[in-house]
Amino acid sequence: MIFSSLFKSKPQWQHKDNNVRITAIQNDLSPSIPDQRNTLIEMSSADESHLVRQAALLKLNSLECYVLASKE
């Protein structure tokens, strides 16, 4: 029981590699699903890689998110 929780894999959008996170944004996350939209918004403002932040903004395609990102 404990071992299954230790070896459970994280979602791809939480991967260390920027390219894997960008691919997960393009393929796995949808802005029409509220939880996934919140994840995209968080990634667009807080991810360490500017390429991941840009991919999340493009996926969101929201003027509000663009304005918030431009202020940061």
Side-chain angles (χ1 to χ4, degrees):
M1 303 276 178
I2 294 174
F3 291 112
S4 64
S5 65
L6 290 175
F7 297 112
K8 186 184 281 188
S9 63
K10 292 182 187 178
Q12 291 297 313
W13 55 267
Q14 291 180 335
H15 200 274
K16 294 178 194 175
D17 186 16
N18 298 340
N19 294 326
V20 175
R21 290 197 309 270
I22 291 170
T23 303
I25 288 171
Q26 294 170 348
N27 299 332
D28 299 340
L29 297 175
S30 172
S32 61
I33 299 172
D35 288 340
Q36 293 180 8
R37 180 175 176 79
N38 291 337
T39 300
L40 285 167
I41 290 170
E42 181 180 333
M43 291 179 80
S44 71
S45 63
D47 197 272
E48 60 198 30
S49 169
H50 73 279
L51 294 173
V52 174
R53 291 192 306 267
Q54 182 180 12
L57 280 172
L58 290 172
K59 183 73 173 202
L60 285 166
N61 196 21
S62 167
L63 182 61
E64 294 173 20
C65 294
Y66 291 143
V67 170
L68 288 174
S70 71
K71 290 180 180 179
E72 296 175 5

